[in-house]
Amino acid sequence: MTNYLLAVMTMLGPAQNRFANPAAWDRLHADLGIQLPPDYRALVDAYAPIQLNGHLYLHHPATTGLQRINSLS
């Protein structure tokens, strides 16, 4: 079985691990009324804030800044 989280993280390169803020996720989950998937949270914790190839924006619930990656090649 493919580990898609590992595949994406391998493609993006070394994680920055900018955030480890469970309280920010708790607040967001309470506001949304749902729990976001653990793989999504791991990806956002590792890389956000980031814009991937000009199309996908990942923001961490603890910040509003943005880093850009324009090419994944």
Coordinates of all heavy atoms in Angstrom, one line a residue:
M1 N 0.8 -1.2 0.0 CA 0.0 0.0 0.0 C 0.9 1.3 0.0 O 1.9 1.3 0.7 CB -0.9 0.0 1.2 CG -1.8 1.2 1.3 SD -2.9 1.1 2.7 CE -4.4 0.7 1.8
T2 N 0.5 2.2 -0.8 CA 1.3 3.5 -0.9 C 1.1 4.3 0.3 O 0.0 4.6 0.7 CB 0.9 4.2 -2.2 OG1 1.1 3.4 -3.3 CG2 1.7 5.5 -2.4
N3 N 2.2 4.9 0.8 CA 2.1 5.8 1.9 C 2.1 7.2 1.2 O 3.2 7.7 0.9 CB 3.3 5.7 2.9 CG 3.2 6.7 4.0 OD1 2.7 7.7 3.9 ND2 3.8 6.3 5.1
Y4 N 1.0 7.8 1.0 CA 0.9 9.0 0.3 C 1.5 10.2 1.0 O 2.0 11.1 0.4 CB -0.6 9.3 -0.1 CG -1.1 8.3 -1.1 CD1 -2.0 7.4 -0.8 CD2 -0.7 8.4 -2.5 CE1 -2.4 6.4 -1.7 CE2 -1.1 7.5 -3.4 CZ -2.0 6.5 -3.0 OH -2.4 5.6 -4.0
L5 N 1.3 10.2 2.3 CA 2.0 11.3 3.1 C 3.5 11.3 2.9 O 4.1 12.3 2.6 CB 1.6 11.2 4.6 CG 2.2 12.2 5.5 CD1 1.8 13.7 5.1 CD2 1.9 12.0 6.9
L6 N 4.1 10.1 3.0 CA 5.5 10.0 2.8 C 5.9 10.4 1.4 O 6.9 11.1 1.2 CB 6.0 8.6 3.1 CG 7.5 8.3 2.9 CD1 8.3 9.2 3.8 CD2 7.8 6.9 3.2
A7 N 5.1 10.0 0.4 CA 5.4 10.3 -1.0 C 5.4 11.9 -1.2 O 6.2 12.4 -1.9 CB 4.4 9.7 -1.9
V8 N 4.4 12.5 -0.7 CA 4.3 14.0 -0.8 C 5.5 14.7 -0.1 O 6.1 15.6 -0.6 CB 2.9 14.5 -0.3 CG1 2.9 16.0 -0.2 CG2 1.8 14.1 -1.2
M9 N 5.8 14.2 1.1 CA 6.9 14.8 1.9 C 8.2 14.6 1.2 O 9.1 15.5 1.2 CB 6.8 14.4 3.3 CG 5.6 14.9 4.1 SD 5.5 14.3 5.8 CE 6.4 15.6 6.6
T10 N 8.4 13.5 0.5 CA 9.6 13.2 -0.2 C 9.7 14.1 -1.4 O 10.7 14.7 -1.7 CB 9.6 11.7 -0.7 OG1 9.6 10.9 0.5 CG2 10.8 11.4 -1.5
M11 N 8.6 14.4 -2.1 CA 8.5 15.2 -3.2 C 8.8 16.7 -2.8 O 9.6 17.4 -3.5 CB 7.1 15.2 -3.9 CG 7.0 16.1 -5.1 SD 5.4 16.0 -5.9 CE 4.3 16.3 -4.6
L12 N 8.3 17.1 -1.7 CA 8.5 18.5 -1.2 C 9.9 18.8 -0.6 O 10.3 19.9 -0.5 CB 7.5 18.9 -0.2 CG 6.0 19.0 -0.7 CD1 5.1 19.3 0.4 CD2 5.9 20.0 -1.8
G13 N 10.6 17.7 -0.2 CA 11.9 17.9 0.4 C 11.8 18.0 1.9 O 10.8 17.8 2.5
P14 N 13.0 18.4 2.5 CA 13.0 18.4 4.0 C 11.9 19.3 4.6 O 11.7 20.4 4.1 CB 14.4 19.0 4.3 CG 15.2 18.7 3.0 CD 14.2 18.7 1.9
A15 N 11.3 18.8 5.6 CA 10.2 19.5 6.3 C 10.8 20.7 7.1 O 11.9 20.5 7.6 CB 9.4 18.6 7.2
Q16 N 10.1 21.8 7.1 CA 10.6 22.9 7.9 C 10.1 22.8 9.4 O 10.7 23.4 10.3 CB 10.0 24.2 7.4 CG 10.5 24.5 5.9 CD 12.0 24.6 5.8 OE1 12.6 25.4 6.6 NE2 12.6 24.0 4.9
N17 N 9.1 22.0 9.6 CA 8.5 21.8 11.0 C 8.4 23.1 11.7 O 8.9 23.2 12.8 CB 9.4 20.7 11.7 CG 9.3 19.4 11.1 OD1 8.2 18.9 10.8 ND2 10.4 18.7 10.9
R18 N 7.7 24.0 11.1 CA 7.6 25.4 11.7 C 6.7 25.4 12.9 O 6.8 26.2 13.8 CB 7.1 26.3 10.6 CG 8.0 26.6 9.5 CD 7.4 27.6 8.6 NE 8.3 27.8 7.5 CZ 8.2 27.4 6.3 NH1 7.1 26.6 6.0 NH2 9.0 27.6 5.3
F19 N 5.7 24.5 12.9 CA 4.7 24.6 14.0 C 4.5 23.2 14.7 O 4.5 22.2 14.0 CB 3.3 25.0 13.4 CG 3.4 26.4 12.8 CD1 3.6 26.6 11.5 CD2 3.4 27.5 13.6 CE1 3.7 27.9 10.9 CE2 3.4 28.8 13.1 CZ 3.6 29.0 11.8
A20 N 4.2 23.3 15.9 CA 3.8 22.2 16.7 C 2.8 22.8 17.7 O 3.1 23.1 18.9 CB 4.9 21.5 17.4
N21 N 1.6 23.2 17.2 CA 0.7 24.0 18.0 C -0.7 23.3 18.0 O -1.6 23.7 17.3 CB 0.6 25.4 17.4 CG -0.2 26.3 18.2 OD1 -1.0 25.9 19.1 ND2 0.0 27.6 18.0
P22 N -0.8 22.2 18.9 CA -2.1 21.5 18.9 C -3.3 22.4 19.3 O -4.4 22.2 18.9 CB -1.9 20.5 20.0 CG -0.4 20.3 20.1 CD 0.2 21.7 19.7
A23 N -3.0 23.5 20.1 CA -4.1 24.4 20.5 C -4.7 25.1 19.3 O -5.9 25.3 19.2 CB -3.6 25.4 21.5
A24 N -3.9 25.5 18.3 CA -4.4 26.1 17.1 C -5.3 25.2 16.3 O -6.4 25.6 15.8 CB -3.2 26.6 16.2
W25 N -4.9 23.9 16.2 CA -5.8 22.9 15.5 C -7.1 22.7 16.3 O -8.1 22.6 15.7 CB -5.1 21.5 15.4 CG -4.0 21.6 14.3 CD1 -2.6 21.5 14.5 CD2 -4.2 21.7 12.9 NE1 -2.0 21.6 13.3 CE2 -2.9 21.7 12.3 CE3 -5.3 21.8 12.1 CZ2 -2.7 21.8 10.9 CZ3 -5.1 21.9 10.8 CH2 -3.8 21.9 10.2
D26 N -7.0 22.6 17.6 CA -8.2 22.5 18.5 C -9.2 23.6 18.2 O -10.4 23.4 18.1 CB -7.8 22.4 19.9 CG -7.1 21.1 20.3 OD1 -7.1 20.2 19.5 OD2 -6.5 21.1 21.4
R27 N -8.7 24.8 18.2 CA -9.5 26.0 17.9 C -10.2 25.9 16.5 O -11.4 26.1 16.4 CB -8.8 27.3 18.0 CG -8.4 27.7 19.4 CD -7.8 29.1 19.5 NE -6.6 29.3 18.7 CZ -5.4 29.0 19.2 NH1 -5.2 28.5 20.4 NH2 -4.4 29.2 18.4
L28 N -9.4 25.5 15.5 CA -9.9 25.4 14.1 C -11.0 24.3 14.1 O -12.0 24.5 13.5 CB -8.8 25.1 13.2 CG -9.2 25.0 11.7 CD1 -9.9 26.2 11.2 CD2 -8.0 24.6 10.8
H29 N -10.7 23.2 14.7 CA -11.6 22.0 14.7 C -13.0 22.5 15.4 O -14.0 22.1 14.9 CB -11.1 20.8 15.3 CG -9.9 20.2 14.5 ND1 -8.9 19.5 15.1 CD2 -9.7 20.2 13.2 CE1 -8.1 19.1 14.2 NE2 -8.5 19.5 13.0
A30 N -12.8 23.2 16.5 CA -14.0 23.7 17.1 C -14.8 24.6 16.3 O -16.1 24.5 16.2 CB -13.7 24.3 18.5
D31 N -14.1 25.5 15.6 CA -14.8 26.5 14.7 C -15.5 25.8 13.5 O -16.6 26.1 13.1 CB -13.8 27.5 14.1 CG -13.3 28.5 15.1 OD1 -14.0 28.6 16.2 OD2 -12.3 29.2 14.9
L32 N -14.8 24.7 12.9 CA -15.3 24.0 11.8 C -16.4 23.0 12.2 O -17.2 22.6 11.3 CB -14.2 23.3 11.0 CG -13.1 24.1 10.4 CD1 -12.0 23.3 9.8 CD2 -13.7 25.0 9.3
G33 N -16.3 22.5 13.4 CA -17.2 21.4 13.8 C -16.8 20.1 13.3 O -17.6 19.1 13.3
I34 N -15.6 19.9 12.8 CA -15.1 18.6 12.3 C -13.6 18.5 12.6 O -13.0 19.5 12.9 CB -15.3 18.5 10.7 CG1 -14.5 19.6 10.0 CG2 -16.7 18.5 10.3 CD1 -14.3 19.3 8.5
Q35 N -13.1 17.3 12.5 CA -11.7 17.1 12.7 C -11.0 16.9 11.3 O -11.5 16.1 10.5 CB -11.4 15.8 13.5 CG -11.9 15.9 14.9 CD -10.8 16.6 15.8 OE1 -9.6 16.4 15.7 NE2 -11.3 17.5 16.6
L36 N -10.0 17.7 11.0 CA -9.3 17.5 9.7 C -8.4 16.2 9.8 O -8.0 15.9 10.9 CB -8.5 18.7 9.4 CG -9.3 20.0 9.1 CD1 -8.4 21.2 9.1 CD2 -10.1 19.9 7.8
P37 N -8.2 15.6 8.7 CA -7.4 14.3 8.7 C -6.0 14.5 9.3 O -5.4 15.5 9.0 CB -7.4 13.9 7.2 CG -8.5 14.7 6.6 CD -8.6 15.9 7.3
P38 N -5.5 13.5 10.0 CA -4.2 13.6 10.6 C -3.1 13.7 9.5 O -2.1 14.5 9.8 CB -4.0 12.2 11.3 CG -5.4 11.7 11.4 CD -6.2 12.3 10.4
D39 N -3.2 13.1 8.3 CA -2.2 13.3 7.3 C -2.1 14.8 6.8 O -1.1 15.3 6.6 CB -2.5 12.4 6.1 CG -2.1 11.0 6.3 OD1 -1.6 10.7 7.4 OD2 -2.3 10.2 5.4
Y40 N -3.3 15.4 6.7 CA -3.3 16.8 6.3 C -2.7 17.7 7.4 O -1.9 18.6 7.1 CB -4.8 17.3 6.1 CG -4.9 18.7 5.8 CD1 -4.6 19.3 4.6 CD2 -5.3 19.6 6.9 CE1 -4.7 20.6 4.3 CE2 -5.4 21.0 6.6 CZ -5.1 21.5 5.4 OH -5.2 22.8 5.1
R41 N -3.0 17.4 8.6 CA -2.4 18.2 9.7 C -0.9 18.0 9.8 O -0.1 19.0 10.0 CB -3.0 17.8 11.1 CG -4.5 18.2 11.1 CD -5.1 18.0 12.5 NE -4.8 16.8 13.2 CZ -5.6 15.8 13.4 NH1 -6.9 15.9 13.0 NH2 -5.2 14.7 14.1
A42 N -0.4 16.8 9.6 CA 1.0 16.5 9.5 C 1.7 17.3 8.4 O 2.8 17.9 8.6 CB 1.3 15.0 9.4
L43 N 1.1 17.3 7.2 CA 1.7 18.1 6.1 C 1.7 19.6 6.4 O 2.7 20.2 6.1 CB 0.8 17.8 4.9 CG 1.3 18.2 3.5 CD1 2.7 17.5 3.2 CD2 0.3 18.0 2.4
V44 N 0.6 20.1 6.9 CA 0.6 21.5 7.2 C 1.5 21.9 8.4 O 2.3 22.9 8.3 CB -0.9 21.9 7.6 CG1 -0.9 23.3 8.2 CG2 -1.8 21.8 6.4
D45 N 1.6 21.0 9.4 CA 2.6 21.3 10.5 C 4.0 21.3 9.9 O 4.8 22.1 10.4 CB 2.5 20.2 11.6 CG 1.3 20.5 12.5 OD1 0.8 21.6 12.5 OD2 1.0 19.5 13.2
A46 N 4.3 20.5 9.0 CA 5.7 20.3 8.4 C 6.0 21.5 7.5 O 7.2 21.9 7.4 CB 5.8 19.0 7.7
Y47 N 5.1 22.0 6.7 CA 5.5 22.9 5.6 C 4.8 24.2 5.6 O 5.3 25.2 5.0 CB 5.2 22.2 4.2 CG 6.0 21.0 4.0 CD1 5.6 19.7 4.2 CD2 7.4 21.1 3.6 CE1 6.3 18.6 4.0 CE2 8.2 20.0 3.3 CZ 7.7 18.8 3.6 OH 8.4 17.7 3.4
A48 N 3.6 24.3 6.1 CA 2.8 25.6 6.0 C 3.5 26.7 6.8 O 4.2 26.4 7.8 CB 1.4 25.4 6.5
P49 N 3.3 27.9 6.4 CA 2.5 28.4 5.3 C 3.2 28.2 4.0 O 4.4 28.5 3.9 CB 2.2 29.8 5.6 CG 3.4 30.3 6.4 CD 3.8 29.0 7.2
I50 N 2.6 27.7 3.0 CA 3.2 27.5 1.7 C 2.2 27.5 0.6 O 1.1 27.2 0.7 CB 4.0 26.1 1.7 CG1 4.9 25.9 0.6 CG2 2.9 25.0 1.8 CD1 5.8 24.7 0.8
Q51 N 2.7 27.9 -0.6 CA 2.0 27.9 -1.9 C 2.7 26.9 -2.8 O 3.9 27.1 -3.0 CB 1.9 29.2 -2.5 CG 1.2 29.2 -3.8 CD 1.2 30.6 -4.5 OE1 1.8 31.5 -4.0 NE2 0.6 30.7 -5.7
L52 N 2.1 25.9 -3.2 CA 2.7 24.9 -4.1 C 2.3 25.1 -5.5 O 1.2 25.0 -5.9 CB 2.2 23.5 -3.6 CG 2.6 23.1 -2.2 CD1 1.9 21.8 -1.8 CD2 4.1 23.1 -2.0
N53 N 3.4 25.4 -6.3 CA 3.2 25.5 -7.8 C 2.2 26.5 -8.2 O 1.6 26.3 -9.2 CB 3.0 24.1 -8.4 CG 3.6 24.0 -9.8 OD1 4.5 24.7 -10.1 ND2 3.0 23.1 -10.5
G54 N 1.9 27.5 -7.4 CA 1.0 28.5 -7.7 C -0.5 28.1 -7.7 O -1.3 28.9 -8.1
H55 N -0.8 26.9 -7.2 CA -2.2 26.4 -7.2 C -2.7 26.0 -5.8 O -3.9 26.1 -5.6 CB -2.3 25.3 -8.2 CG -1.9 25.6 -9.5 ND1 -2.7 26.3 -10.4 CD2 -0.8 25.4 -10.2 CE1 -2.1 26.5 -11.5 NE2 -0.9 25.9 -11.5
L56 N -1.9 25.5 -5.0 CA -2.4 24.9 -3.7 C -1.8 25.7 -2.6 O -0.6 25.9 -2.5 CB -1.9 23.5 -3.6 CG -2.3 22.8 -2.3 CD1 -3.8 22.7 -2.1 CD2 -1.7 21.4 -2.2
Y57 N -2.6 26.3 -1.8 CA -2.2 27.1 -0.6 C -2.5 26.3 0.7 O -3.6 25.9 0.9 CB -3.0 28.4 -0.6 CG -2.9 29.2 -1.8 CD1 -3.7 29.1 -2.9 CD2 -1.9 30.2 -1.9 CE1 -3.5 29.8 -4.1 CE2 -1.7 31.0 -3.0 CZ -2.6 30.8 -4.1 OH -2.4 31.6 -5.2
L58 N -1.5 26.2 1.5 CA -1.6 25.5 2.8 C -1.3 26.5 3.8 O -0.1 27.0 3.9 CB -0.7 24.3 2.9 CG -1.0 23.2 1.9 CD1 0.1 22.1 2.1 CD2 -2.4 22.6 2.0
H59 N -2.2 26.8 4.7 CA -2.0 27.8 5.8 C -2.1 27.0 7.1 O -3.0 26.2 7.2 CB -3.0 28.9 5.7 CG -2.9 29.8 4.5 ND1 -2.0 30.8 4.4 CD2 -3.5 29.7 3.3 CE1 -2.1 31.3 3.2 NE2 -3.0 30.7 2.5
H60 N -1.3 27.3 8.0 CA -1.4 26.7 9.3 C -2.4 27.6 10.1 O -2.4 28.8 10.0 CB 0.0 26.7 10.0 CG 0.0 25.8 11.2 ND1 -0.5 26.2 12.4 CD2 0.4 24.5 11.3 CE1 -0.4 25.2 13.3 NE2 0.2 24.2 12.6
P61 N -3.2 27.0 11.0 CA -4.1 27.8 11.7 C -3.5 28.7 12.7 O -4.2 29.6 13.2 CB -5.0 26.7 12.5 CG -4.2 25.5 12.4 CD -3.3 25.5 11.2
A62 N -2.2 28.6 12.9 CA -1.5 29.5 13.9 C -0.8 30.7 13.2 O -0.2 31.5 13.8 CB -0.5 28.7 14.7
T63 N -1.0 30.8 11.8 CA -0.3 31.9 11.1 C -1.1 32.3 9.9 O -2.0 31.7 9.5 CB 1.1 31.4 10.7 OG1 1.8 32.5 10.1 CG2 1.1 30.3 9.7
T64 N -0.6 33.4 9.3 CA -1.2 33.9 8.0 C -0.1 34.1 7.0 O -0.4 34.5 5.9 CB -1.9 35.2 8.2 OG1 -1.1 36.2 8.8 CG2 -3.1 35.0 9.2
G65 N 1.2 33.9 7.3 CA 2.3 34.1 6.4 C 2.2 33.1 5.2 O 1.5 32.1 5.2
L66 N 3.1 33.3 4.2 CA 3.1 32.4 3.0 C 4.5 32.3 2.5 O 5.2 33.3 2.3 CB 2.2 32.9 2.0 CG 2.0 32.2 0.7 CD1 1.4 30.8 1.0 CD2 1.2 32.9 -0.3
Q67 N 4.9 31.1 2.2 CA 6.2 30.8 1.4 C 5.8 30.2 0.1 O 4.8 29.5 0.0 CB 7.0 29.8 2.2 CG 8.3 29.4 1.4 CD 9.0 28.2 2.1 OE1 8.7 27.9 3.3 NE2 9.9 27.7 1.4
R68 N 6.5 30.6 -1.0 CA 6.1 30.1 -2.3 C 7.1 29.0 -2.8 O 8.3 29.2 -2.7 CB 6.0 31.2 -3.3 CG 5.0 32.2 -3.0 CD 5.1 33.4 -4.0 NE 4.1 34.4 -3.5 CZ 3.0 34.6 -4.1 NH1 2.5 33.8 -5.0 NH2 2.2 35.5 -3.6
I69 N 6.5 28.0 -3.4 CA 7.3 27.0 -4.1 C 6.7 27.0 -5.5 O 5.6 26.5 -5.6 CB 7.3 25.6 -3.5 CG1 8.1 25.6 -2.2 CG2 8.0 24.6 -4.4 CD1 8.1 24.3 -1.5
N70 N 7.4 27.5 -6.5 CA 6.8 27.6 -7.8 C 7.0 26.3 -8.7 O 6.4 26.2 -9.7 CB 7.4 28.8 -8.5 CG 6.8 30.1 -7.9 OD1 5.7 30.1 -7.5 ND2 7.7 31.0 -7.7
S71 N 7.9 25.5 -8.3 CA 8.2 24.3 -9.1 C 8.6 23.2 -8.2 O 9.3 23.3 -7.3 CB 9.3 24.6 -10.1 OG 9.6 23.4 -10.8
L72 N 8.1 22.0 -8.5 CA 8.4 20.8 -7.7 C 9.4 19.9 -8.5 O 9.6 18.8 -8.1 CB 7.1 20.0 -7.4 CG 6.2 20.8 -6.5 CD1 4.9 20.0 -6.3 CD2 6.8 21.2 -5.2
S73 N 10.0 20.4 -9.6 CA 10.9 19.6 -10.4 C 12.3 19.6 -9.7 O 12.7 20.3 -9.0 CB 11.0 20.1 -11.8 OG 11.3 21.5 -11.8

